[in-house]
Amino acid sequence: MGTEIDPRNAIFGGTVNEQAFDGMLKLGYRNGHFEANAFYEIFPVIDYKSYGMNLNIVTRPEKIMVPVAGFQISMIQRPWHLYPSLAINAKLEYHFNRWSRFFIYLRGESKLRSDWNDKIVHSGYFGVAYKLTNNK
């Protein structure tokens, strides 16, 4: 389980907004080289919410630096309407040691925004996560 923020939006603002909170909650499952997680994102300043699922391939799961890549299927909720969306993701996790339950990561996302006439939006996130079990 974990949480993410978009540091660019928090510090500088985005292309359509001033400085604002854009955060995400995640709950997932990992087994060896496969990861699946569900998420809920909220970005109140632009009245944006999204929720969905990421399906990822984990390379080097037993190491301290762990690359992960995959795709996302989601729904974007705007006032009075839902929009389907797809994205590709890549993240790099840093596990403090092999036995630590906490880890941090950076994640990049390229998302097809069907709420904006199919524009592709690139975002970056910083995350903190906690492993409920201490498997690699």
Side-chain angles (χ1 to χ4, degrees):
M1 67 181 174
T3 186
E4 295 181 359
I5 63 163
D6 182 335
R8 184 193 63 167
N9 271 315
I11 297 168
F12 304 109
T15 54
V16 297
N17 60 279
E18 67 277 2
Q19 293 175 327
F21 172 78
D22 175 12
M24 194 173 303
L25 295 174
K26 289 186 165 186
L27 183 60
Y29 171 80
R30 179 180 288 179
N31 187 358
H33 294 280
F34 174 75
E35 174 185 84
N37 63 61
F39 70 90
Y40 175 71
E41 179 180 13
I42 186 165
F43 196 175
V45 75
I46 63 169
D47 207 7
Y48 175 95
K49 296 175 186 167
S50 71
Y51 48 89
M53 164 177 252
N54 292 297
L55 299 172
N56 298 320
I57 298 296
V58 180
T59 58
R60 302 169 17 115
E62 69 286 348
K63 302 296 183 181
I64 289 176
M65 294 292 279
V66 181
V68 179
F71 69 95
Q72 177 186 104
I73 301 168
S74 64
M75 294 297 287
I76 296 170
Q77 182 180 345
R78 300 297 281 216
W80 312 107
H81 200 75
L82 288 174
Y83 302 88
S85 185
L86 296 172
I88 56 173
N89 294 288
K91 78 178 164 175
L92 183 61
E93 301 174 349
Y94 177 76
H95 297 253
F96 295 101
N97 62 51
R98 286 185 65 193
W99 301 277
S100 175
R101 290 178 180 249
F102 285 97
F103 62 96
I104 59 174
Y105 60 92
L106 297 173
R107 184 177 69 84
E109 172 184 275
S110 294
K111 189 171 199 164
L112 178 64
R113 292 284 302 272
S114 56
D115 62 322
W116 279 4
N117 296 321
D118 296 331
K119 180 179 179 183
I120 295 177
V121 175
H122 309 286
S123 300
Y125 297 90
F126 170 76
V128 177
Y130 178 77
K131 295 183 262 184
L132 298 175
T133 62
N134 205 12
N135 296 343
K136 300 176 189 160

